[in-house]
Amino acid sequence: MLSALSTGAAAAALLLGSASPATPARFGDDPPTGNITIDVATVNGSGCRPGSAAVAVAPDNTAFTVTYSEYLAQVGGASKPTDARKNCQIALNVHVPQGFTYAIARADYRGYASLVQGAKGLEQANYYFQGQPETAHRAHTFAGPYSDNWQTSDETDLNALVYAPCGEERYLNINTELRLDGSAADPKTTSYMAMDSTDGSINTLYHFAWKQCPASK
């Protein structure tokens, strides 16, 4: 890893800790009271080597978090061309109580960006169930000069939610990407954008929408 990249990650880790946490919201039916577990089935991508992503379910079953520890893109300075784009594809096996199914109603992405004049940053993501069509990527852009925490939210209308099939276990696939463009910036300067946290204080938050399955005949 480049020294500039390491310096950027350390700075991000210090500043990310000051970000206020996102508050879980409720969508759809009341969440089940039974135990919910989420297993990481596969992790692929330049922004999340195996072992660098962790998942946790909220105590009230309204949401779950994904925390990354090595998710940072950068351009300029001593950066390599491949540093400008980082992505992560993660497949989750979500175990829910019998009689319930779920959709993802909203996703809150958070991180830190340091962009010089002329540099641009992009965060985009989508999520879908195994065997179902991918949803469109939702993109959010940032322009330098910018040096601050960032947060974006992707929310789906309740009448457009896609639920996991009742009684079936399907992987929930989450794809995220960070991309930087420094073509209009001073090449001697370094810009970076992070979606990581070395201490677990910053994470992406996925809000469940719950629905009871029809009773079996």
Side-chain angles (χ1 to χ4, degrees), residues 8 20 52 68 120 179 193 197:
S20 59
S52 67
Y68 304 97
K120 297 179 181 179
R179 184 183 301 177
M193 190 169 179
S197 174

Side-chain angles (χ1 to χ4, degrees), residues 21-187:
T23 302
R26 292 200 174 191
F27 301 87
D29 294 344
D30 289 337
T33 57
N35 188 41
I36 296 170
T37 61
I38 301 179
D39 301 319
V40 179
T42 61
V43 175
N44 293 290
S46 56
C48 58
R49 65 175 180 81
S52 67
V55 181
V57 181
D60 60 0
N61 291 342
T62 60
F64 69 91
T65 60
V66 179
T67 305
Y68 304 97
S69 59
E70 299 179 5
Y71 204 157
L72 184 146
Q74 73 169 21
V75 292
S79 305
K80 297 180 294 186
T82 53
D83 293 333
R85 177 186 178 273
K86 298 293 181 179
N87 74 301
C88 182
Q89 302 177 25
I90 183 170
L92 302 177
N93 195 4
V94 183
H95 306 274
V96 304
Q98 187 174 2
F100 284 87
T101 184
Y102 71 95
I104 301 300
R106 191 175 82 199
D108 300 321
Y109 300 93
R110 302 162 62 207
Y112 186 84
S114 177
L115 307 174
V116 301
Q117 180 70 41
K120 297 179 181 179
L122 176 144
E123 176 272 324
Q124 66 177 358
N126 75 336
Y127 35 88
Y128 62 96
F129 292 108
Q130 178 185 8
Q132 295 181 337
E134 286 194 34
T135 59
H137 280 84
R138 298 185 180 182
H140 305 271
T141 57
F142 301 83
Y146 185 98
S147 183
D148 203 349
N149 299 310
W150 60 265
Q151 177 172 326
T152 64
S153 294
D154 298 339
E155 187 166 337
T156 303
D157 292 337
L158 291 180
N159 59 1
L161 291 174
V162 177
Y163 287 84
C166 283
E168 298 182 23
E169 286 196 353
R170 300 278 189 94
Y171 286 162
L172 172 63
N173 297 286
I174 298 173
N175 297 323
T176 56
E177 178 182 353
L178 296 177
R179 184 183 301 177
L180 294 185
D181 180 0
S183 58
D186 182 348

